[in-house]
Each structure stands twice: as structure tokens, then as C-alpha cells.
Amino acid sequence: MFKLNLKIALRNLWKNKGITAINVGGLAIALAAFILLMMYATYETSFDKENPNYDRIYAVGIAYPEFKTNYVAAPFAKAIKQNFPEVELAGLVKGSSFELVIKNGKNTIFTNNILQADYHAAKILNIQPNGGLQKPSGDAQRLTYLSEENMRVLFPNKNDHKPEMVGFGASNSGITGIIDGSIKKNVQSNFNFDGISIGNEFGGSDNYDMNDYTIYLQVKPETDVIKLSQKITDLYRAELLKSSGSKKTIDEVKGIATFLDPLSNLHLRPKAGNNGPYKVLIALSILGVLMLVIACINFTNLSIAQAAKRAKEVGIKKVLGAYRFQLTIQFLLEIFMQCMTATILALILAELVLPSFNNLFQVKLAIWSFGNDLLLQLPLIVCIITVVAGTYPALVLAGFKPALVLKGNFSTSKQSSWLRSGLLIFQFSIAVVFIIGLFIINSQLKYMQNEDLGFTPNQVVYIKNISFFNQPVKFEPVRDKILKVPGVQSATVASFIPDGKASGINNYTANGISANIDFVDVDFDYFETLDIKLREGRFFTGDFKTDTANSAIINESAVAKYGLKNPIGKIIRGCEINYKIVGVIKDFKSQGFENSVQPTIYMIKDPCSNFKTQIMLKVDRRQMASALATLKAKWPEINPLDGEDFRYEFLDELYGKLFKKQEQLQSVFFAAAILTIFIAGLGLFAFAKYITNGRMKEIAIRKILGATDLQVLKLINTSFFVMVVIANLLSWPLAYILTKKWLKTFAYSIDIPMMPFILSTLITIVLTLFTVSLQARKAAKANPVDALKHE
């Protein structure tokens, strides 16, 4: 019996090749998109899961009244371990602040991120160098490991784990060090690095003002993390009050709390960061599921549309003794075969699209990789799709009454008609949401690209550098040499560049108000190089000796933060210095559009500073190529510590990376909108075909009574037009709520325009009229005799 049913299924599928191709093709496309998006979701939610203590690791953060941060003072790690027995390990990690050049003869690498970690942190984070994790023998010893890729570049013929001597900086710098071995990089980790330096212990002093480390804790099983977090807060407040370096009052300390951020949060939704990536991932996951649902709806409608052609077969089989259950199983078998075919095609499509997908999201996903759970889950997904998309059509086909269908009555119930209409409206509602979302994402991205940033990153060259220029007198000879290069208009150095990354934060007091605000340590010509606008006062200049001692410039947000009226000449105190405000600059979006402009102070002298290493040059566009070539040739003379290793990036390109997530989302929504419109169009085609076939007699009679082709087209199009309008009206509130929620992730965003809603309606109406008219035209042109002759 199975063999017979299989033959019948294959014959029927082959007989209706066009409909089968549409059915299988639509499902394959949706399933391919679902596979890619689910693989990406699995990848993003699997960071650091290889760590055996994944569920017991937390980062310690500090919550100030104005912001949250994961940067903490180093001695606090030891204090936590000493006071709380439920903490098994407490470790410290610190990232590098500049690109480091490492050489072995002519072999050179440029490392962007050499992590510093104590031995306890290395154990917590499961950092395993090749040859095993070793504990440094003393407080002074540091064990340094480079990634396997970097070690292969430096030592192409190395086959052991023995230490090697390398040079740092320029070839003639004379700075050397030992690399103790290699370590495998885990790209699917929050702790991705070019190399790591492991020390026995960090943070010997009791200074709680220098918050430049991240503390990680490994707690014992069954620990009450909420209670532990409160106890850590109490300890931190006590340590601040007794710290010799801290000058905070009791009232200030009461406004400070700590929190524990699980390792599982750090990649997508850190408490001290932006959870935008998590929201985007949720949106992409829902998008993948909805596309599959739409394809299933389309599959269902198209299968029911073919019911009339199978009605007589069902009637004859029932007359010959077939049970409804047997017929249902037969039709489910046909649908399962189509789903299996669609799955195979989906895997092929996904494999073909995967390189572009990986390039878009900057990942390295592989469908056929070992341990890919999706391949194991696909058979279950196919069975679910078969049941969801095939059960109702199978029951409809198996439920035909023999006496009626053999007379030519193939109509289904009104309940079926309402269900199919509802499914079609649902399909188009989702498609409309995607179309509106695409238009609004595109509008926000255009706004971000065209909006005035408050500074000009164009023509600014950022030069990577390892020399420290904390004092203007050290950078002055370098600036003089740089300015002699034709095309270079200005040069400056600072502790941070406006590329979207957060700057340093410290406590400053003005107008009787104490607050934590951002700080940037700069040199002369910083504001002129970036074309930052002055609101009042003046910029730093060598004409005033006090500018290198105790002058400061603040932005408009800082003026508002401290409630300063006539701020020029007022005092703002921080780092044991009374700074005199000499200028106020207009706010500029140094951290992009997702974060609001922070109150910021700019100084030349700062005892609490980070190192000034970020060199920026303003270069004439017409002489850009020649200027860069000259700088490269003369760099050993200009900046001997960097020597022959001249590296640069364009600031506008660095800033443009802030738009990457939105550009990814735009690309995905564009693809999703096209696919959902295509799949919804297939569903519309199926439903139009079904309705038209069911009304052939009616159309024939109307034509005999004198109806024109235009009247027939209007008759069939009217009901579909109404359904699409209803779909738009239902989707508008949902689209508005979802896009409004997405726009709230930006500090600076557009107001939701009306045009996307109007355009989505026009697009879906035109698509509907075109698709339905293709079927209606066939019915209008058909000979009425063919529809009525069997009567």
C-alpha cells in the first residue's frame, strides 16, 4: 500500500510541476533564510560557553548616579576575595591602550589587544596557553603568550613551546622581551586577544581613584548572587571611605553601588553598556521564524488551491473503501516529500549565500561544521513543517464527500474560506511590517550619515603610535616636523580620538556640584584639527602659559550638568587641580548616535590622565597621497620610537564603523522584505487561483449574461483589494510600535514619517492587483461553454 501511495504521490507532483515548483521553491527560500538566521543567533548566544564554570562567573561593575561601568580599582579584587568565602576566585584584567609592534628580524606583527591578566583571572576565564597554564614564579614575573597566528608570522619554523626573544617598536629601539609561548584564539569569546600577559598579582596599592581594571569573580555553586552583590556594595563604600587616595564624602559614597554582571550577559546585553545588539538579535530571530510561518501559510493555501483537481480521486477511493485516515496519511506523505525536497534545496541555497552572509556579519559560520546542532534539528523541523503546513490541506482533501465530488461539487466550507482569507491577511500584514521597517531603517541610516556631527572627521588621518606625549614640549618637535610635510594643515595628539569609543571618566566639582564626567587629555590644535565649533571663550594656545598648567575647556553638556551661567573664568576642580574654564565648545557626537553627548572636560595637563598617544593630522585632500607617502618615508626621523612602522587610518572610516550594525540590519530587512513579498505573492497567487477556479461557473454565466472582461477583473479583484487594505490597517500599529521601540535605542533619531506607511500600502495594492489579475484574466478569457458543458 505504501508503495502504491508513493507512486501516486510522485505522479501527482510531476503532473503539477508548476505548482509543485512554486510550493517547494517558496518553502526552500524561507527555510534557507531561517537556517542562516538561526545559525547566527546560535553563534551570538554561545560566547564563552566552553568555559566549564560559565554559570558561576561574574564581572564586577560600579553604578554611579550618572552611569555604569565595568572598570574598577585594582585593590578591590583582593578585598572581595578576603571578605567573602563564597567567592572562589577573584581576578583582574586590563586591555591595551595602543597598537604594539613586535619583531623577530624581518618578521613583524602589529598587535591591537594584548590583555594583561593576573593568574586568578586566567583560571576564571579558562585561558589555556599551549603547554598549559603556568603560575608566574614571583610578583615581578610576567608570562607573555601570543596567538598561534602571530607566532607563525614571527617564527614560521617553530615547532615547540619554548620561550623566544623578540623586539618591541622600531628595529633600532633596543627594547626586547620574551614571548613564553603561544595560545589559541577563541573568536567566540568576549576575551578575544592578540596576546596575553599573565602576572602573579596586580593592584598592590590601595588607590581607589584609578578605575582601570575589570574584576571577574568565580563564585561557589548555589551562591545567592543578589545578597553577595549587596555585600560587595557595602564593602566598596567602606573601602572608598578609608582609601588614602579617595576624597569622597559619606553622602557621595551612598550614591555609589556595585553590581554583578553574569558572563552570559557580557556579549549582547552588558549592564554597563548598550543592549542594542541583543535587541537586533531578537528581531532577526523573530524575522526568521516569521518568514518560515509565512512560507507554511503559503504552502497551506497553495495545497488547498489544488484540492479541486484531486476531488474525484478522493471520491473514487472512498467508494472503493478507503478510510479518511488512510487518505490523510497519503496526502501528508506527499507534503512530507515536498518538505524534504525543500529542505535539501534550502541547504544548497544557504551554502551558496553563506559567504555573503558571513561577510555582512563579520563571522565565520559553516553549515557542515562538526557540532552544528541545526543539522541535527532539521529532521525535526521538517516534521513540524509537514504537520503545521500539511495537516489542514490533507484533512480538507480527505474530507470530500464522494456523492458530491463525483457530481462535480468541489467547494469547501465557509469556515475554510474564512481561514484562508485570515491566513492571507496575516501573510500580508507581516510583509507590510517588513516593508515599513525597511523604509524607516533606511531613513534613520540616511539621517545618521547626513546629520551634522559637530566635528569633521573627513581628511583627518589617525596615526598609530606607541610614543607617550603627555607634555606639550615632547610633542612640539614632532609637530614641527610633521607640519613641514606639504599638505599637512594641522597636527595634534590626545588620549582619545572621536571614533565612538568611550573616553575616560573622573570626578570634577564646579558650582558646588560634584559629578563624574568624561575627560579627554589633548594638546594644542586638537579642536582646530577636528573642526570643532567654539560656543564662547577661546581654544588652547601657546600664547597663554597657564593653558599647559591649569586651563580647561568644557562642552555644552558639562555647562548644563553643573548649571553654570557665564562659565568663562569659572573654576572646575578635579585631580587636585583647580582648572580655570577658558572656553566652551559646542556638543559633538564623538560616541555616535546611540549614546547622548556626555559632559566632557578637555585639558592639556592632567595628573589622572591616560597616555596621549593618538596622533591626528588634518591633510589637504588634493595632497593626501603625496603627504602620506612623505610621512611614511620620513617617519623614522619624525618619531624614532615607531621608526619604519608607519601605520594610519582615516578617521571618517573609523567613525563610519559605528553604522555597521544599522547597515547589517538594513541589508537583512531588505532581503526579508523582498522574500516576504515574494512568498506572500505566491500565497496570493495560490488563493487567487483557488477562488477563480471555484467561481468559473459563476464567471461563465455572467459572461453569457453580458459581463465584460473588465467587470470580471473588477469582480475578482475587489475581495483581494479589501483583504490587502485590512492587512495594512492591522500592520500599521504593530509596525509603528516596533519601529518606535527600535528608534528609542538611539539617543538621536528621526521622527517616524508617514511616507513608509503610504508606500507600503501602494506596493502591496499594486502587487495584489497584478497577481490576481493574472488569474482573473485567464477566467475572463475562457470560453463559458468549457465551464458549463458537464452540466
Side-chain angles (χ1 to χ4, degrees):
M1 190 67 181
F2 176 80
K3 188 176 180 180
L4 176 62
N5 286 336
L6 184 61
K7 283 184 178 179
I8 293 171
L10 290 172
R11 284 171 182 168
N12 276 305
L13 294 175
W14 182 253
K15 184 179 179 182
N16 301 287
K17 294 187 288 292
I19 297 299
T20 301
I22 292 174
N23 231 351
V24 172
L27 185 58
I29 291 171
L31 195 53
F34 175 80
I35 288 171
L36 291 174
L37 291 174
M38 290 304 105
M39 284 175 59
Y40 179 69
T42 301
Y43 171 83
E44 288 291 306
T45 53
S46 299
F47 271 55
D48 291 307
K49 282 193 174 179
E50 292 183 358
N51 192 314
N53 301 303
Y54 176 78
D55 296 325
R56 297 193 286 125
I57 296 174
Y58 297 84
V60 179
I62 303 177
Y64 294 99
E66 304 90 354
F67 65 96
K68 292 181 178 179
T69 179
N70 276 341
Y71 292 105
V72 191
F76 192 47
K78 184 182 289 186
I80 291 174
K81 183 67 180 70
Q82 290 174 344
N83 284 274
F84 306 117
E86 57 265 56
V87 176
E88 287 183 347
L89 294 170
L92 291 164
V93 173
K94 185 178 183 180
S96 59
S97 57
F98 54 82
E99 186 177 83
L100 183 63
V101 184
I102 304 177
K103 296 178 183 290
N104 174 39
K106 294 183 179 180
N107 299 327
T108 303
I109 62 170
F110 302 98
T111 61
N112 291 305
N113 189 16
I114 299 289
L115 284 186
Q116 297 181 58
D118 65 17
Y119 177 70
H120 301 298
K123 289 180 67 176
I124 293 170
L125 303 178
N126 196 34
I127 292 170
Q128 295 292 332
N130 294 325
L133 178 64
Q134 299 179 14
K135 186 174 183 179
S137 59
D139 291 346
Q141 185 183 18
R142 297 285 186 269
L143 299 177
T144 303
Y145 304 90
L146 293 179
S147 67
E148 291 176 338
E149 295 84 354
N150 283 330
M151 285 297 284
R152 279 195 293 269
V153 173
L154 288 176
F155 305 97
N157 302 316
K158 186 175 175 61
N159 296 314
D160 55 42
H161 301 309
K162 293 181 180 179
E164 299 284 355
M165 183 72 74
V166 296
F168 296 102
S171 301
N172 59 357
S173 68
I175 303 173
T176 60
I178 295 175
I179 302 299
D180 296 280
S182 63
I183 185 169
K184 185 177 181 180
K185 289 175 67 174
N186 182 6
V187 295
Q188 204 169 350
S189 172
N190 290 294
F191 311 101
N192 192 15
F193 43 75
D194 299 316
I196 184 165
S197 177
I198 300 174
N200 192 35
E201 195 172 278
F202 291 137
S205 71
D206 63 347
N207 187 354
Y208 273 73
D209 273 353
M210 296 298 289
N211 296 330
D212 50 0
Y213 282 88
T214 303
I215 298 176
Y216 292 97
L217 306 180
Q218 181 176 307
V219 301
K220 293 179 180 178
E222 310 301 328
T223 298
D224 189 330
V225 178
I226 296 176
K227 287 185 179 179
L228 176 61
S229 180
Q230 183 56 53
K231 289 192 289 185
I232 291 175
T233 293
D234 295 338
L235 176 64
Y236 186 68
R237 290 170 177 171
E239 292 292 319
L240 281 180
L241 289 174
K242 73 179 184 180
S243 169
S244 59
S246 176
K247 303 297 182 182
K248 290 182 171 58
T249 64
I250 294 176
D251 288 337
E252 287 177 326
V253 166
K254 285 181 180 179
I256 301 173
T258 64
F259 59 87
L260 296 180
D261 206 359
L263 182 60
S264 57
N265 277 9
L266 298 183
H267 179 57
L268 292 173
R269 44 177 180 173
K271 292 181 180 179
N274 190 343
N275 65 349
Y278 177 73
K279 292 180 180 179
V280 169
L281 185 64
I282 293 296
L284 292 177
S285 302
I286 294 173
L287 186 151
V289 173
L290 285 177
M291 289 185 67
L292 198 56
V293 169
I294 289 174
C296 289
I297 292 172
N298 173 70
F299 193 101
T300 301
N301 278 345
L302 203 55
S303 299
I304 295 173
Q306 291 296 98
K309 293 185 178 182
R310 307 290 298 277
K312 287 186 178 180
E313 175 194 337
V314 173
I316 292 170
K317 284 188 173 183
K318 282 194 170 183
V319 169
L320 294 175
Y323 293 104
R324 183 172 184 176
F325 174 76
Q326 293 173 313
L327 294 170
T328 301
I329 295 299
Q330 176 193 333
F331 294 128
L332 279 174
L333 175 63
E334 291 183 22
I335 290 167
F336 179 76
M337 290 171 62
Q338 293 180 70
C339 289
M340 280 298 298
T341 306
T343 302
I344 294 170
L345 288 175
L347 288 170
I348 295 172
L349 285 173
E351 186 68 33
L352 292 173
V353 176
L354 191 59
S356 299
F357 186 88
N358 282 340
N359 184 58
L360 175 65
F361 286 96
Q362 298 295 299
V363 292
K364 295 180 180 179
L365 303 179
I367 295 175
W368 309 107
S369 64
F370 177 76
N372 190 342
D373 294 337
L374 188 63
L375 292 178
L376 301 176
Q377 296 164 357
L378 269 180
L380 178 62
I381 293 172
V382 171
C383 293
I384 292 173
I385 293 173
T386 301
V387 172
V388 172
T391 300
Y392 182 70
L395 291 174
V396 169
L397 286 164
F400 282 125
K401 306 291 184 185
L404 295 175
V405 297
L406 293 176
K407 290 180 181 179
N409 186 354
F410 308 143
S411 63
T412 53
S413 66
K414 288 185 178 180
Q415 289 85 349
S416 299
S417 178
W418 276 105
L419 177 61
R420 289 191 299 276
S421 299
L423 292 177
L424 186 66
I425 290 172
F426 178 79
Q427 270 188 308
F428 267 89
S429 294
I430 299 303
V432 169
V433 170
F434 287 154
I435 295 169
I436 294 172
L438 174 62
F439 281 126
I440 291 178
I441 290 170
N442 188 53
S443 297
Q444 174 65 14
L445 193 56
K446 283 186 176 179
Y447 163 76
M448 291 164 60
Q449 292 168 340
N450 299 324
E451 178 69 4
D452 181 18
L453 302 176
F455 74 107
T456 306
N458 300 332
Q459 300 174 242
V460 176
V461 179
Y462 158 55
I463 299 179
K464 298 179 179 181
N465 156 66
I466 63 173
S467 300
F468 300 154
F469 297 111
N470 280 25
Q471 298 177 13
V473 292
K474 289 188 177 182
F475 186 64
E476 187 175 352
V478 175
R479 177 193 285 111
D480 291 341
K481 293 175 184 177
I482 290 174
L483 291 177
K484 290 178 181 178
V485 175
V488 177
Q489 298 171 340
S490 64
T492 191
V493 66
S495 55
F496 300 96
I497 62 173
D499 61 349
K501 296 176 184 175
S503 56
I505 298 173
N506 215 328
N507 186 269
Y508 294 88
T509 302
N511 199 28
I513 299 172
S514 178
N516 291 288
I517 64 172
D518 288 12
F519 70 88
V520 179
D521 302 324
V522 302
D523 205 281
F524 298 116
D525 295 334
Y526 174 84
F527 303 101
E528 293 89 337
T529 300
L530 294 173
D531 194 25
I532 296 170
K533 304 298 186 293
L534 186 69
R535 197 189 80 174
E536 57 181 306
R538 62 176 177 82
F539 291 138
F540 294 129
T541 172
D543 297 336
F544 296 88
K545 292 183 179 180
T546 54
D547 281 3
T548 59
N550 65 340
S551 293
I553 293 174
I554 61 176
N555 64 358
E556 292 174 313
S557 294
V559 172
K561 181 76 176 180
Y562 291 108
L564 294 170
K565 296 179 180 178
N566 303 316
I568 303 302
K570 297 289 177 63
I571 299 298
I572 180 168
R573 182 174 176 79
C575 288
E576 304 299 314
I577 292 180
N578 289 328
Y579 290 101
K580 183 179 179 181
I581 299 172
V582 298
V584 176
I585 59 167
K586 293 186 177 181
D587 285 345
F588 66 99
K589 300 177 180 66
S590 62
Q591 296 181 30
F593 286 75
E594 294 183 1
N595 302 299
S596 57
V597 176
Q598 298 300 307
T600 309
I601 182 172
Y602 301 84
M603 305 147 294
I604 291 179
K605 181 181 179 180
D606 183 6
C608 303
S609 72
N610 291 306
F611 299 119
K612 293 185 198 175
T613 60
Q614 317 291 318
I615 297 175
M616 289 176 285
L617 315 179
K618 187 79 167 183
V619 182
D620 188 331
R621 185 186 302 275
R622 295 165 297 181
Q623 297 177 275
M624 182 68 74
S626 61
L628 291 174
T630 304
L631 285 167
K632 180 177 177 62
K634 294 186 176 182
W635 200 246
E637 174 192 342
I638 295 172
N639 192 4
L641 191 58
D642 271 328
E644 67 275 16
D645 302 308
F646 179 73
R647 296 99 59 212
Y648 66 88
E649 289 186 72
F650 294 108
L651 186 59
D652 57 349
E653 293 180 1
L654 287 173
Y655 194 86
K657 291 179 181 178
L658 298 178
F659 306 151
K660 189 69 178 177
K661 281 292 180 186
Q662 282 66 49
E663 289 172 350
Q664 289 173 347
L665 198 61
Q666 181 190 40
S667 299
V668 171
F669 259 77
F670 177 77
I674 296 297
L675 290 179
T676 50
I677 290 172
F678 176 72
I679 295 171
L682 292 179
L684 183 65
F685 173 83
F687 199 32
K689 184 179 179 67
Y690 172 79
I691 293 295
T692 305
N693 288 343
R695 302 180 72 175
M696 288 299 288
K697 290 180 188 178
E698 176 192 347
I699 293 169
I701 294 171
R702 286 178 179 273
K703 289 193 70 177
I704 290 171
L705 294 175
T708 64
D709 289 353
L710 184 61
Q711 288 173 321
V712 172
L713 290 174
K714 181 180 177 182
L715 173 71
I716 297 176
N717 270 298
T718 300
S719 59
F720 290 97
F721 177 82
V722 171
M723 282 190 282
V724 171
V725 170
I726 292 173
N728 275 275
L729 293 177
L730 290 175
S731 62
W732 281 11
L734 178 61
Y736 180 84
I737 292 169
L738 292 177
T739 53
K740 187 74 173 177
K741 200 165 187 178
W742 176 71
L743 288 172
K744 281 184 178 179
T745 62
F746 297 91
Y748 307 98
S749 64
I750 59 170
D751 295 324
I752 296 180
M754 193 63 195
M755 188 56 66
F757 297 86
I758 297 171
L759 287 175
S760 68
T761 304
L762 292 175
I763 289 170
T764 50
I765 288 175
V766 170
L767 175 67
T768 300
L769 294 177
F770 175 76
T771 306
V772 175
S773 295
L774 288 177
Q775 290 295 319
R777 186 173 180 276
K778 292 180 182 178
K781 294 294 183 182
N783 190 342
V785 175
D786 294 333
L788 300 172
K789 63 181 179 181
H790 64 274
E791 296 291 350

